[in-house]
Amino acid sequence: MIDAARRLFAAHGFSGVGTEAVVRSASVSRGALYHHFADKTELFAAVLEDVEREVTQLLSSVALASGDAGFQAATLSAYEAWLEMCERPEIQRIVLVDGPSVLGWIRWREICQPNVLGLIQAVLAQGMASGEVSSQPVVPLSHALIAVADEAAMYVASSPDPATARREMLDVVRQLLSSLAA
């Protein structure tokens, strides 16, 4: 059901998908849907969590592939990968557009917390522990950095020239990350 709902929500948005379309696409009964999820919003929350887990795994892989390049290089690589991922409708629509509007900011962030936001917090804590990032409160800084990532993704996605917008945004992010150096 989650896979079917994910495809539908990505293509049509939350408001454009009825539960009947989900059960038809997943080849399950309406009773099966409501056995697992209280309503369409709960199904959407499960879809968002699934997408967030996938994004976190991808970004973790990118950051780890940077090896010993350091905090700034690993984080910039992850930002670049994020901007590329956000060109996919399911990421853009489910995570950035419908996620906060359907679930509300607090619930949206609760789902993100153990995933991408948690990854940012871990990377920041590691950067501070290694002396690469100036010591400061991790939680508010992680929220600021995820806000930059989300807004950067929307900026690139809405640009008539996404390639140029991505390069410009990565230059901005590079400077921002430099300002965090210890």
Side-chain angles (χ1 to χ4, degrees):
M1 273 186 281
I2 290 175
D3 289 342
R6 182 173 171 164
R7 284 189 305 275
L8 291 167
F9 289 143
H12 307 288
F14 178 82
S15 63
V17 175
T19 55
E20 187 57 39
V22 174
V23 297
R24 214 176 18 252
S25 180
S27 299
V28 298
S29 69
R30 183 175 295 282
L33 172 73
Y34 289 114
H35 175 75
H36 293 286
F37 305 101
D39 56 23
K40 185 172 89 165
T41 301
E42 291 308 309
L43 173 60
F44 180 81
V47 168
L48 174 63
E49 194 169 337
D50 186 59
V51 173
E52 277 285 316
R53 264 194 308 274
E54 180 183 305
V55 168
T56 302
Q57 289 171 349
L58 263 156
L59 294 179
S60 294
S61 297
V62 167
L64 288 173
S66 298
D68 294 333
F71 167 82
Q72 186 173 341
T75 305
L76 189 61
S77 293
Y79 265 92
E80 188 170 8
W82 168 245
L83 293 179
E84 289 174 16
M85 274 189 272
C86 287
E87 290 182 20
R88 293 171 31 199
E90 65 184 347
I91 304 295
Q92 191 180 113
R93 185 110 194 216
I94 294 169
V95 174
L96 298 171
V97 175
D98 285 349
S101 66
V102 169
L103 300 173
W105 189 88
I106 292 172
R107 180 126 188 252
W108 177 57
R109 278 295 172 230
E110 285 173 354
I111 291 172
C112 297
Q113 181 66 43
N115 292 294
V116 176
L117 190 58
L119 175 63
I120 292 171
Q121 290 171 354
V123 169
L124 282 170
Q126 183 179 6
M128 288 178 200
S130 70
E132 293 177 81
V133 176
S134 63
S135 184
Q136 53 194 297
V138 170
V139 172
L141 181 56
S142 68
H143 278 269
L145 291 178
I146 202 165
V148 169
D150 291 349
E151 190 59 31
M154 294 305 289
Y155 174 79
V156 171
S158 64
S159 173
D161 182 0
T164 298
R166 186 181 309 107
R167 279 193 308 277
E168 291 170 343
M169 193 54 75
L170 287 171
D171 286 343
V172 169
V173 169
R174 187 177 293 108
Q175 291 177 40
L176 175 66
L177 293 174
S178 292
S179 73
L180 299 176

